[in-house]
Amino acid sequence: SFGIFEIAGKEIQTIVDAPNRDEVFPAYSPDGQSIVFADAKGAGRYAESEIKIWSRKDKVISTVAVDGTFPSVSSDGKAIFFERDRKKIIKVALDTKVETELFPGNTAEQWGKFEVVKPRVSPDQKKVTFTSDKGGRWHVWVSELDTGKLINVADGCEPSFIDEDNLVFVKTKNAKAGSGIFRVNLANNKTELLQDQDGVLGHEYFPTLKNGRLLFSATSEDQHNHETGDYQLFLLDIVAKKTYRLTNDNTGSRWSSFVKLQ
């Protein structure tokens, strides 16, 4: 089963790895003092799961919301965003536990037969990006939360915000070994290749881009499966054009993110 671990130098620390559970999709709070994750009954996409948060200070795990997955923490640390039923994007306030549906809201009829998954909200909380099969399997979408404007950004999946105007995402069409990682500017729609290798470790997925460093997982094309694929962790220094391999095992490491401790 999956658990959550933290790498510091060459040391690997176990955060949570309970028996008979799958702790997946971890994401740090901005100050690095907590981690939100999905506590699931299985690794499959339809597995029942809850949103939980781990505190670095006291090592306590508490439940934030039920019936949810793929969480992230707002840039101000006051709320958590997550996916529910592969149809809705929910915001829950950490102090009150009050939930708000960010998307699709009053446009639900347009999205009823389509999936809305893997959401990430921009730092200013004005946009949300997600993966959907609307427009083709799969496509990266962005919704402007105030105006309701929708942008079909590109073929691909796993998008996340670098800043308010730029996304990093996985492109699966016309990429070596079945996938590559790209950056797109929402203002001018310019797309830039970041990582697309061929060969045994050329199938890149689960990207996070911060301060010129790209964190991602990679495996071979025939190991694509998100639950069982033999993914390894890599770090690319974009400016120096150097790639570092972070894991070398058969544990299938994925869904990584950067931490900044204060």
Side-chain angles (χ1 to χ4, degrees):
S1 64
F2 287 104
I4 298 173
F5 303 83
E6 189 172 75
I7 298 176
K10 295 183 178 180
E11 297 295 322
I12 299 179
Q13 175 189 353
T14 301
I15 301 299
V16 55
D17 189 18
N20 304 316
R21 301 292 292 187
D22 282 281
E23 296 91 5
V24 292
F25 310 130
Y28 285 104
S29 61
D31 62 5
Q33 295 302 315
S34 59
I35 298 174
V36 293
F37 62 95
D39 183 15
K41 290 185 176 180
R45 62 179 59 178
Y46 299 107
E48 181 181 336
S49 66
E50 299 177 338
I51 304 299
K52 295 193 174 183
I53 187 166
W54 169 85
S55 167
R56 187 180 299 279
K57 181 180 179 180
D58 53 24
K59 307 299 188 291
V60 170
I61 296 173
S62 54
T63 301
V64 178
V66 298
D67 187 20
T69 191
F70 205 77
S72 60
V73 186
S74 63
S75 58
D76 58 12
K78 296 180 179 180
I80 292 175
F81 310 107
F82 63 92
E83 161 201 326
R84 173 170 285 159
D85 301 329
R86 299 183 69 83
K87 294 291 183 183
K88 299 176 181 179
I89 301 170
I90 307 295
K91 174 182 179 179
V92 57
L94 279 173
D95 56 351
T96 64
K97 301 298 190 294
V98 172
E99 295 184 6
T100 304
E101 183 178 324
L102 295 183
F103 188 86
N106 58 14
T107 64
E109 284 190 11
Q110 303 174 33
W111 294 85
K113 63 180 181 179
F114 300 108
E115 296 193 345
V116 176
V117 298
K118 305 292 191 293
R120 286 293 185 253
V121 175
S122 60
D124 61 6
Q125 298 189 41
K126 292 183 178 181
K127 302 184 187 78
V128 61
T129 185
F130 55 91
T131 303
S132 179
D133 53 352
K134 185 173 184 177
R137 191 177 180 94
W138 294 100
H139 272 247
V140 172
W141 286 81
V142 169
S143 172
E144 294 182 358
L145 295 174
D146 291 338
T147 67
K149 179 182 177 182
L150 283 163
I151 307 169
N152 188 340
V153 178
D155 291 325
C157 58
E158 300 274 345
S160 62
F161 282 94
I162 304 166
D163 52 41
E164 280 78 5
D165 295 316
N166 291 275
L167 296 176
V168 60
F169 70 98
V170 173
K171 185 177 181 182
T172 54
K173 292 184 179 179
N174 302 317
K176 298 174 184 176
S179 68
I181 299 172
F182 291 76
R183 172 168 51 195
V184 61
N185 183 288
L186 298 175
N188 59 24
N189 202 33
K190 181 181 178 182
T191 300
E192 176 188 1
L193 170 65
L194 295 178
Q195 173 76 19
D196 187 21
Q197 298 297 312
D198 208 347
V200 175
L201 290 168
H203 192 74
E204 300 99 349
Y205 248 84
F206 316 113
T208 300
L209 179 58
K210 187 174 183 179
N211 298 330
R213 298 183 301 164
L214 176 67
L215 192 60
F216 64 96
S217 295
T219 187
S220 57
E221 188 170 2
D222 63 351
Q223 288 285 311
H224 167 81
N225 188 285
H226 289 195
E227 288 80 53
T228 61
D230 185 20
Y231 287 92
Q232 302 297 314
L233 291 182
F234 292 84
L235 176 67
L236 169 65
D237 185 322
I238 295 174
V239 176
K241 298 181 179 179
K242 290 185 178 181
T243 302
Y244 305 90
R245 184 169 177 169
L246 303 181
T247 60
N248 192 0
D249 51 40
N250 61 354
T251 59
S253 301
R254 64 207 73 191
W255 307 307
S256 54
S257 60
F258 293 102
V259 59
K260 179 181 180 182
L261 296 179
Q262 296 180 347

